[in-house]
Amino acid sequence: MARPTIARVDLQALQHNFQLAQGLVPDGQCLAVVKANAYGHGAVAVAKALDSMAAAFGVACIEEADELRQAGINKPVLLMGGVFNQQEVIHAAENNYWLMLNNQQQLDSVIDADLTQPVTVWLKVDSGMHRLGIGLGDVSTYYQQLQASDNVLDEIVIATHLACGDELDSTFTDQQIKQFMASVEGINAPLSISNSSGLLAWPQARQHWNRPGYMLYGNTPFSGAHQDADKLRHVMTLSSEVVAVRDIDVGESVGYSANWTAKRPSKIATIAVGYGDGYPRQARNGTPVIINGNRAPLVGRVSMDMITVDITDLADVAVGDEVVLWGEHLTANEVAECAGTIGYEVLTRMPLRVPRVYS
């Protein structure tokens, strides 16, 4: 009998979310970001579900791109982190991987490579995030070097990344967009600015190429309501089951470190899920789960394979009852906030031992 912890992935909801993204840019194209195992949802299954819809896919590194190719995904794949040596450039050219170039070293590795066919290049510009990318004043120089190379296909995409796009009242985002647009003035090239937050909330960031990621999986990048983000449909439901129920007296504690003590006679349910399944260890007492449609609070430390919740106020909870850790009525964002992190981390840390069930 299998352990009951599973992640159900709704591929129709995924497709709905992609259509929402694409609908925001009717004159542009969307590249579906499937890095980090499609934010924990399963890169191959997600890419296959979006293969007829997405113009291309985005990954962090060549190993993630190879996984898609080996699974029969033939759409272009953008290596968003670039390449790390000339051998990767050759491998990318042979497999129709697009290359994001972030500095002179990466540019030289493309120009100097012995290629049998040219590659598609994206040029990353640092418009204020100061993580990766060439300087705003260097765009024309780099662009001309790439144009002059026989190793580079004619259509060079110029891209940047927003640092504060998820902050709807940010003035920094407007500043970034203006600085980026000024840096490419006079250059006739397709542009890319938008990640999920840019696509949803910053119309001026919607360009020829857009890079939705987090939103595809049904999660809002914003802390509050947003008219378009609120149309997203959740994709993953992480669930398990009650494996034990016990009564404890006033003054008795639960779990490692005894960091929760009963102040009343209490009924405790043990659930077969823990940080070994991607449930955040730092989730604090009171973090909600859903049992039989009702919320119940986490009590005691999260352990590797189990959590405990207080079901004193719920009726008729029994061994075998389903428990939802996050899903339609309890978002990964909410659980992440209770753990002092963000939904992106909670989802991408989902380990392979949790079976994904696709529908």
Side-chain angles (χ1 to χ4, degrees):
M1 187 172 178
R3 188 165 179 262
T5 307
I6 60 172
R8 296 185 181 89
V9 179
D10 184 341
L11 297 177
Q12 290 185 337
L14 174 81
Q15 292 169 336
H16 163 86
N17 296 336
F18 184 87
Q19 289 171 336
L20 176 64
Q22 185 62 66
L24 294 170
V25 279
D27 298 324
Q29 298 191 80
C30 283
L31 174 154
V33 178
V34 296
K35 62 181 180 175
N37 199 29
Y39 294 62
H41 292 68
V44 169
V46 166
K48 286 183 176 180
L50 297 179
D51 199 26
S52 65
M53 305 170 71
F57 295 100
V59 299
C61 57
I62 207 161
E63 291 84 2
E64 292 181 338
D66 285 345
E67 181 186 14
L68 298 184
R69 281 290 179 270
Q70 290 162 10
I73 302 298
N74 296 316
K75 286 279 178 71
V77 181
L78 173 64
L79 306 182
M80 299 169 73
V83 290
F84 298 96
N85 55 60
Q86 213 166 78
Q87 193 58 43
E88 286 195 348
V89 176
I90 295 169
H91 183 67
E94 293 171 346
N95 287 277
N96 192 24
Y97 298 159
W98 297 350
L99 305 180
M100 182 83 81
L101 303 184
N102 299 298
N103 53 46
Q104 186 68 50
Q105 181 182 8
Q106 289 185 341
L107 182 143
D108 290 341
S109 70
V110 171
I111 292 176
D112 297 338
D114 184 13
L115 302 183
T116 57
Q117 54 196 24
V119 294
T120 294
V121 164
W122 287 42
L123 183 60
K124 181 71 166 289
V125 179
D126 179 8
S127 60
M129 189 168 184
H130 300 323
R131 188 179 62 174
L132 290 175
I134 66 171
L136 290 163
D138 297 325
V139 177
S140 179
T141 300
Y142 276 73
Y143 186 76
Q144 289 172 16
Q145 290 182 67
L146 291 169
Q147 274 193 315
S149 173
D150 292 336
N151 281 349
V152 178
L153 289 169
D154 289 340
E155 189 170 89
I156 300 163
V157 181
I158 305 178
T160 195
H161 192 58
L162 301 177
C164 303
D166 57 340
E167 300 172 15
L168 297 178
D169 58 351
S170 169
T171 59
F172 191 71
T173 298
D174 278 326
Q175 177 183 328
Q176 270 197 274
I177 295 170
K178 288 175 183 176
Q179 290 184 155
F180 174 72
M181 295 305 292
S183 77
V184 299
E185 190 172 355
I187 300 176
N188 184 23
L191 306 178
S192 180
I193 301 175
S194 288
N195 55 1
S196 291
S197 60
L199 191 53
L200 287 164
W202 302 93
Q204 65 272 44
R206 299 168 186 163
Q207 297 291 331
H208 181 80
W209 280 103
N210 305 273
R211 313 183 304 273
Y214 193 54
M215 67 176 291
L216 297 182
Y217 309 101
N219 302 284
T220 176
F222 311 119
S223 59
H226 181 274
Q227 60 179 359
D228 287 317
D230 291 347
K231 299 173 186 175
L232 296 168
R233 290 170 50 187
H234 87 283
V235 175
M236 179 189 288
T237 299
L238 177 65
S239 65
S240 190
E241 291 180 2
V242 175
V243 295
V245 176
R246 73 189 61 249
D247 295 307
I248 66 170
D249 294 329
V250 174
E252 292 188 323
S253 60
V254 174
Y256 288 120
S257 301
N259 77 336
W260 182 86
T261 301
K263 297 180 179 179
R264 61 176 179 171
S266 301
K267 189 176 291 291
I268 303 298
T270 301
I271 318 301
V273 69
Y275 61 77
D277 305 295
Y279 193 82
R281 183 180 180 276
Q282 300 304 320
R284 62 177 181 264
N285 289 326
T287 301
V289 305
I290 297 178
I291 304 177
N292 298 334
N294 298 301
R295 289 193 170 207
L298 177 75
V299 294
R301 287 278 174 84
V302 174
S303 52
M304 185 180 294
D305 312 303
M306 288 173 281
I307 61 173
T308 43
V309 300
D310 183 356
I311 57 170
T312 309
D313 296 324
L314 303 187
D316 301 324
V317 174
V319 171
D321 285 352
E322 184 182 61
V323 181
V324 174
L325 291 314
W326 56 72
E328 182 176 6
H329 301 295
L330 174 60
T331 67
N333 284 350
E334 183 178 353
V335 174
E337 185 175 359
C338 292
T341 185
I342 56 175
Y344 296 75
E345 181 183 16
V346 167
L347 293 175
T348 57
R349 295 185 73 173
M350 178 74 63
L352 293 178
R353 89 167 183 177
V354 177
R356 276 71 165 173
V357 178
Y358 298 96
S359 61

